[in-house]
Amino acid sequence: MRFSHHLREAVKSQIQSMAQSMAEWDVHPRIDAVEQAAIRSHLGCFEHTTRLESQVFSAVDGSGDFPMLAYADSFVYLAIAQAVRYEAIGNKLREVGPEPAPVFDVCWLPEHEQRRKVQLDEAFARLAGDSLEAVVAQSDYRQLKGHYTGREPTVAEAIADLIRPHASDAGNLGIQLRSCAELGAARRLIADAQPGEIVLLDGTLSLPFVQRAKGSLFHEHLKRSCCVMARERGVMLAWISKSHGLPGIGLIEQIAKDRGLIDHWFLRLPTPSDTWQLSVLDGRNIPPQGAVSYLWRTHRGMPVFRVDLDAAWWIERILSPEDDRQTLARESTLFSTLDFAGHDIRTKAYPYPLKAAHDRASLKDTERLALRKQVIAAAVASGMKASAFVDPSELTGHA
């Protein structure tokens, strides 16, 4: 029977063993009394904000079809990202028009080594809205890599060392192309933004390869390029993740409750150079290199979000080296402003612009099918046979 696995004793035994391991790990004490005191002293609170004037919030999200089609040893990938822009007017968010044009790219990748690299680099450039050389030169990623590895690569070396997956590596290509689409849309937003605008992205400011001497992902350079451009234009970038990725969060929440903070609180996570540390961060790149990370609780019943900010921007705009109270006041203002973005009637305690960007970027099955048919029709018009194109999931009965 299709659903008979759950009845097998071996399956039930394995699930029970796994659950026991999870429970043992979950109750393992990771936050001692000293750390609990440090958390208590570093927790901050912010005002519940239901009215705001003239603050502009932008957001970006992306999706795609990875791959949308296959033929012979080649694959066709689709990446799309949509940006939205809203302005705070009293107790509402009003969309600011015209809506930015979506970033849309259809990429053909053969397995031929040299041609694949050329095709992929051209797709990266189209998604970024600029050449690879321009993005890598503008970004401060190479400086960060030099700081952690002891040697800063040149622009040419960084481009030569980019990790370019095989055409059939759909998982890795999906992450790279979707990330480049989102960051390319963000880069275009920033270029058109006014000082003080807040640009929101879904995810984290992580840089997976920055501590390695060789290799990098193009979207790492593009991510840091967005950070540099945002600082130059007086724009704030915030990556918001619905998953904080930390154990022991229940104890942190309890410490906040003991201070009377059921919701509307934040906690900046320490960096290695801070005077206080958290053992739950051991073995995790949190905060990521070049970033400052917060835990952010909006409302009761909502998960604790993680917010990543560019560390250089944070030092310029938030940190007051001589006055911790001033730093805390600026942080409170920041999170009060972000809080307003989650009070639209169309969402619940989560920034509505991010939800709007997600909804508009998401592809429906009918749209995927229509786009696949368009690609095939264009290929046939160019002299190819329609029978050469395959949707692997349909062919194997997995669609």
Side-chain angles (χ1 to χ4, degrees):
M1 290 177 61
R2 176 182 174 90
F3 297 108
S4 63
H5 293 302
H6 67 291
L7 300 175
R8 302 187 182 201
E9 287 302 321
V11 173
K12 289 192 283 186
S13 177
Q14 185 178 0
I15 291 174
Q16 185 176 2
S17 176
M18 179 202 67
Q20 183 65 33
S21 297
M22 290 170 61
E24 290 173 357
W25 174 254
D26 192 54
V27 300
H28 189 275
R30 301 185 189 88
I31 302 178
D32 60 24
V34 174
E35 290 182 344
Q36 291 184 40
I39 291 170
R40 192 173 295 110
S41 66
H42 285 88
L43 279 166
C45 59
F46 59 91
E47 293 291 333
H48 175 64
T49 309
T50 57
R51 297 191 67 85
L52 193 65
E53 294 293 342
S54 303
Q55 175 64 57
V56 176
F57 297 92
S58 299
V60 174
D61 204 6
S63 67
D65 205 354
F66 312 110
M68 63 188 308
L69 291 168
Y71 73 94
D73 68 339
S74 300
F75 296 81
V76 179
Y77 289 87
L78 164 67
I80 184 171
Q82 180 62 60
V84 295
R85 181 174 272 131
Y86 288 83
E87 184 178 10
I89 305 293
N91 63 351
K92 298 179 180 179
L93 282 170
R94 183 183 66 186
E95 186 164 7
V96 178
E99 180 181 270
V103 173
F104 182 97
D105 193 74
V106 177
C107 173
W108 162 64
L109 295 177
E111 281 293 3
H112 185 275
E113 184 73 9
Q114 293 304 316
R115 190 61 188 271
R116 172 175 55 85
K117 290 182 178 180
V118 170
Q119 292 295 115
L120 189 54
D121 285 359
E122 289 178 353
F124 286 158
R126 290 192 300 269
L127 291 168
D130 213 336
S131 68
L132 271 63
E133 290 79 8
V135 170
V136 172
Q138 179 191 45
S139 171
D140 61 4
Y141 179 84
R142 292 179 300 116
Q143 288 78 14
L144 285 171
K145 184 178 277 285
H147 173 76
Y148 289 103
T149 66
R151 182 180 181 277
E152 180 182 323
T154 66
V155 171
E157 288 171 339
I159 293 174
D161 283 343
L162 288 176
I163 296 171
R164 301 172 176 89
H166 286 282
S168 58
D169 193 351
N172 283 327
L173 281 168
I175 292 171
Q176 290 215 41
L177 293 170
R178 183 176 62 251
S179 297
C180 286
E182 292 173 354
L183 292 164
R187 198 166 180 265
R188 291 167 172 85
L189 262 181
I190 296 165
D192 187 49
Q194 297 299 313
E197 187 166 334
I198 296 175
V199 178
L200 307 174
L201 298 99
D202 186 12
T204 71
L205 191 41
S206 62
L207 304 172
F209 289 86
V210 74
Q211 291 182 297
R212 303 188 187 186
K214 299 283 287 184
S216 63
L217 304 169
F218 179 66
H219 68 259
E220 292 181 285
H221 296 271
L222 187 53
K223 190 175 287 188
R224 295 304 310 181
S225 170
C226 288
C227 292
V228 171
M229 184 182 290
R231 294 198 302 267
E232 292 173 348
R233 295 192 59 83
V235 172
M236 173 190 160
L237 285 179
W239 277 261
I240 298 178
S241 174
K242 294 179 284 294
S243 174
H244 48 74
L246 291 177
I249 194 67
L251 182 52
I252 295 176
E253 289 183 272
Q254 187 58 52
I255 294 170
K257 287 181 181 178
D258 292 344
R259 272 199 53 187
L261 301 175
I262 298 175
D263 50 18
H264 296 103
W265 59 260
F266 62 87
L267 175 69
R268 184 178 64 81
L269 298 175
T271 64
S273 61
D274 280 315
T275 56
W276 70 291
Q277 295 298 313
L278 278 178
S279 56
V280 296
L281 299 179
D282 291 347
R284 297 171 173 82
N285 285 325
I286 303 174
Q289 293 77 13
V292 171
S293 296
Y294 290 86
L295 297 179
W296 179 37
R297 161 54 60 80
T298 54
H299 288 257
R300 65 191 72 187
M302 294 297 289
V304 175
F305 300 127
R306 172 178 152 191
V307 179
D308 285 357
L309 307 174
D310 171 31
W313 178 90
W314 183 85
I315 290 170
E316 290 178 5
R317 300 301 182 97
I318 302 297
L319 178 64
S320 177
E322 307 300 326
D323 188 350
D324 290 343
R325 291 175 299 179
Q326 181 65 35
T327 299
L328 185 62
R330 292 171 181 172
E331 290 173 324
S332 296
T333 298
L334 166 65
F335 283 104
S336 291
T337 303
L338 289 179
D339 182 61
F340 177 84
H343 287 301
D344 192 274
I345 61 173
R346 295 162 286 187
T347 189
K348 179 184 178 182
Y350 178 75
Y352 176 72
L354 271 176
K355 182 181 184 302
H358 170 79
D359 291 346
R360 297 185 196 186
S362 297
L363 289 172
K364 298 180 176 63
D365 288 342
T366 53
E367 293 174 312
R368 295 176 194 273
L369 181 60
L371 288 165
R372 290 170 187 169
K373 289 180 177 179
Q374 278 186 267
V375 170
I376 294 172
V380 170
S382 297
M384 298 184 69
K385 292 183 178 180
S387 58
F389 290 88
V390 173
D391 177 347
S393 59
E394 288 186 4
L395 187 65
T396 58
H398 290 81

